[in-house]
Amino acid sequence: MDPSVLETRLGYRFEDASLLAQALTHRSFGQPNNERLEFLGDSLLNCVIAALLFKRFPKLAEGDLSRLRSNLVKQQSLFEVARAIELSAHLRLGDGERKSGGHRRPSILADSLEAILGAIFLDGGFEAVSAVIGDLYGPIIVAVDPKTLGKDAKTLLQEEMQGRRLPLPVYTVVATHGAAHSQEFEVECSIPKLGIQVLGSGASRRAAEQEAAKLALESARIRSGGRGGRRRPATAESATRQLEPARVSREAPGTSARAAAGTPSPSGAGGRT
C-alpha cells in the first residue's frame, strides 16, 4: 500500500523514506527489521506520555501518574491506536507470518507503532515525534478518568453490578472461528436482571470477554439514564474511537489534539503535513 496514506494518518511526512520502510518491517520479512526502532520508540513514547499526563493532571500523585502512563503505553492501548490508523495494511511480514494472521496480531501492531515513533525521531527530531504522539494520544488523554483508568472492562462491570446490588454478569463462549493458530472467539455477556445480552469477539477468550463486558457496561449505563449522577468513565481503549474524526483533519495536523494535551507544535521538524 502507498506509504503516503499512512503518513497522512500520522500527520508526518518522512524525509528519509527508508526509515518508514524499516519501521514497518517485521523480522520475519528480513533485514533490516524494526526491532531496534521499536526499542527507541518505546522509550520516546513513555517520555512524551509522561509529559502529557504531567501537564494534564497537575494535582495527581506520582503513583497515579505512573499507573495512567502504564495503561496508556501497554500493548492493548498501542494496538487500539495502531488499528485506528489502519497500520496492519502497511506491515511487511514474511509469508508464514502473514498467512498465520500476523498483520492482526496485537503484539506485532503495537511493536510496529513504537518502531514508527522511533523512525520519526530519527527523521525529524524530538519535537516531531512529540507532535505525532500528541495527535494520536491527545483525544485519549483528554477523555480518560484517572479514577477508573487501569481497571479493565470486566472489573468495571462487576463493580457496577455490585453497586446496584445485582447478580454478576455471566460469560459464555458461543462460537470459535478460524484455524487453531488464528482463532477468533465470540463470547456472550448476559445480565438477565437488566435484559442485557451482548456479544464480544477477540483473538482470545479473555479479549472477547473484555469486549463483551465493555459493550454490556455501555448498555447498563445507558439504561440507567446516568443514575446517581455518574458519568461514563473512559478507558484508553474506548477513547481511541475518537481518533477516526481526528485524522480526517490531518491537513492541518493536530492543532486541537495538541492544544488539549499541552504538546508544543514542532518548529522546523522535517515533515509535518
Side-chain angles (χ1 to χ4, degrees):
M1 186 172 286
D2 185 356
S4 66
V5 175
L6 179 59
E7 289 178 320
T8 299
R9 288 173 182 153
L10 290 167
Y12 182 83
R13 299 286 180 190
F14 278 83
E15 293 290 330
D16 184 352
S18 68
L19 283 170
L20 177 57
Q22 182 178 347
L24 296 170
T25 303
H26 187 256
R27 65 175 179 269
S28 64
F29 187 88
Q31 294 285 350
N33 62 49
N34 62 10
E35 290 182 340
R36 283 171 54 84
L37 289 174
E38 174 204 337
F39 162 78
L40 181 59
D42 174 72
S43 298
L44 291 161
L45 180 65
N46 273 274
C47 176
V48 175
I49 291 296
L52 293 174
L53 291 173
F54 187 86
K55 293 174 183 176
R56 172 69 177 163
F57 302 107
K59 296 183 179 180
L60 212 57
E62 179 270 340
D64 292 328
L65 287 170
S66 294
R67 178 171 56 84
L68 292 181
R69 181 189 59 188
S70 295
N71 200 267
L72 289 169
V73 302
K74 70 181 183 181
Q75 182 184 106
Q76 182 63 27
S77 299
L78 283 162
F79 168 63
E80 294 289 343
V81 173
R83 190 165 62 177
I85 62 173
E86 300 177 12
L87 180 57
S88 62
H90 301 272
L91 297 180
R92 303 169 75 195
L93 305 173
D95 288 341
E97 191 66 60
R98 182 168 293 280
K99 289 177 182 177
S100 68
H103 61 290
R104 296 190 304 268
R105 193 164 296 136
S107 60
I108 290 180
L109 284 163
D111 292 348
S112 299
L113 180 60
E114 289 181 329
I116 288 172
L117 298 178
I120 291 172
F121 170 74
L122 294 179
D123 190 71
F126 187 75
E127 287 189 351
V129 74
S130 295
V132 170
I133 294 171
D135 283 351
L136 295 176
Y137 274 90
I140 302 172
I141 291 175
V142 167
V144 297
D145 184 344
K147 296 177 182 178
T148 61
L149 188 63
K151 295 181 180 180
D152 61 32
K154 287 183 69 176
T155 300
L156 291 171
L157 181 59
Q158 178 176 315
E159 291 177 351
E160 182 85 8
M161 295 303 98
Q162 289 172 336
R164 300 191 196 186
R165 300 184 184 276
L166 292 173
L168 295 181
V170 178
Y171 298 92
T172 308
V173 177
V174 296
T176 57
H177 307 283
H181 58 266
S182 59
Q183 279 190 324
E184 181 89 0
F185 291 80
E186 285 189 19
V187 170
E188 177 187 272
C189 177
S190 61
I191 309 172
K193 288 284 187 181
L194 297 179
I196 290 174
Q197 196 172 20
V198 295
L199 286 177
S201 60
S204 67
R205 176 174 177 169
R206 182 181 181 278
E209 287 178 346
Q210 291 291 343
E211 179 65 20
K214 182 166 64 175
L215 296 172
L217 184 60
E218 291 171 355
S219 296
R221 286 177 173 154
I222 290 171
R223 295 184 186 206
S224 72
R227 182 190 303 175
R230 289 193 193 93
R231 67 183 183 88
R232 177 185 169 189
T235 64
E237 291 79 8
S238 64
T240 55
R241 294 173 185 171
Q242 299 178 49
L243 288 172
E244 292 293 336
R247 69 170 186 261
V248 171
S249 60
R250 293 285 187 188
E251 297 304 320
T255 52
S256 61
R258 280 198 298 275
T263 308
S265 298
S267 52
R272 292 292 286 170
T273 57

